[in-house]
C-alpha cells in the first residue's frame, strides 16, 4: 500500500457530506470525532475529509495547521482501515478541542479512533 493521500481519496461532494451528517454514525476519541457512513453503490472504497470548526479555533493559520497534522496522521495510518474494512465508506474527522495538540498525541488518537472503527465493523459482521 502506498502512503499517499491523493485526489481520489478526498471527500469533496457537498451531497455526500450532507448525507454523512444526516445519516452517519460517529466514534469519539478526544479530541477527534469520526463521522462515517457506509454506501452501497459507490465507485470508490473510502473517501475522507477533515474539519476544524471556526467556533473552536479562531485563527485560520491554526485551523489549517491542525488539519495538516490530522491529514498526516491519517495518511501514515490509513492502512489500518484499508486492510481491515470491506465496503464503501465516506468519513469525516472533526477536531473538537479548542487548543492545538502536538503531532505525536494526535497520531496516537488517530490510531485509536481507526482501531475503534475497525473493531466496531468486525462486531457488526
Amino acid at each position: 500500500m502506498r502512503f499517499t493521500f491523493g485526489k481520489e481519496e478526498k471527500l469533496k461532494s457537498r451531497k455526500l457530506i450532507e448525507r454523512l451528517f444526516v445519516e452517519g454514525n460517529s466514534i469519539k476519541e478526544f479530541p477527534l470525532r469520526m463521522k462515517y457512513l457506509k454506501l452501497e453503490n459507490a465507485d470508490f472504497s473510502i473517501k475522507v475529509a477533515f474539519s476544524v470548526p471556526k467556533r473552536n479555533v479562531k485563527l485560520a493559520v491554526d485551523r489549517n495547521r491542525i488539519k495538516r497534522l490530522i491529514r498526516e496522521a491519517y495518511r501514515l495510518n490509513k492502512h489500518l482501515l484499508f486492510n481491515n474494512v470491506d465496503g464503501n465508506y465516506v468519513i469525516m474527522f472533526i477536531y473538537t478541542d479548542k487548543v492545538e495538540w502536538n503531532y505525536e498525541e494526535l497520531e496516537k488518537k488517530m490510531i485509536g479512533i481507526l482501531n475503534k472503527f475497525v473493531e466496531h465493523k468486525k462486531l457488526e459482521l
Side-chain angles (χ1 to χ4, degrees):
M1 158 168 259
R2 296 185 57 201
F3 292 100
T4 60
F5 185 62
K7 185 177 179 180
E8 65 282 349
E9 291 181 59
K10 294 179 182 171
L11 173 60
K12 296 184 249 180
S13 168
R14 185 177 291 256
K15 288 180 182 178
L16 280 178
I17 293 171
E18 286 176 6
R19 194 168 152 205
L20 171 66
F21 278 95
V22 171
E23 303 172 22
N25 300 317
S26 70
I27 297 175
K28 295 175 187 164
E29 177 88 24
F30 187 79
L32 296 174
R33 189 169 91 211
M34 177 182 179
K35 296 280 288 181
Y36 64 93
L37 177 66
K38 183 172 176 126
L39 300 175
E40 294 305 320
N41 299 325
D43 56 344
F44 55 86
S45 60
I46 296 176
K47 286 203 178 248
V48 183
F50 304 90
S51 174
V52 180
K54 191 175 187 179
R55 171 183 31 202
N56 294 345
V57 183
K58 300 294 183 196
L59 296 179
V61 291
D62 294 337
R63 288 195 305 273
N64 291 337
R65 176 170 169 72
I66 292 168
K67 280 190 273 190
R68 278 197 312 272
L69 293 175
I70 296 170
R71 263 196 310 266
E72 182 69 3
Y74 170 77
R75 182 183 72 82
L76 293 175
N77 296 293
K78 68 181 181 178
H79 60 88
L80 297 171
L81 265 181
F82 283 89
N83 293 341
N84 298 312
V85 175
D86 293 328
N88 304 324
Y89 288 92
V90 290
I91 299 172
M92 179 170 278
F93 291 98
I94 303 165
Y95 186 82
T96 57
D97 201 3
K98 295 182 186 303
V99 296
E100 185 178 331
W101 287 37
N102 67 24
Y103 176 75
E104 290 78 21
E105 293 171 338
L106 273 177
E107 188 174 30
K108 286 178 191 170
K109 296 298 183 169
M110 177 63 72
I111 292 169
I113 204 167
L114 292 176
N115 285 332
K116 273 187 184 179
F117 179 70
V118 169
E119 290 302 315
H120 188 267
K121 291 296 132 197
K122 285 182 180 176
L123 292 175
E124 283 183 358
L125 298 176

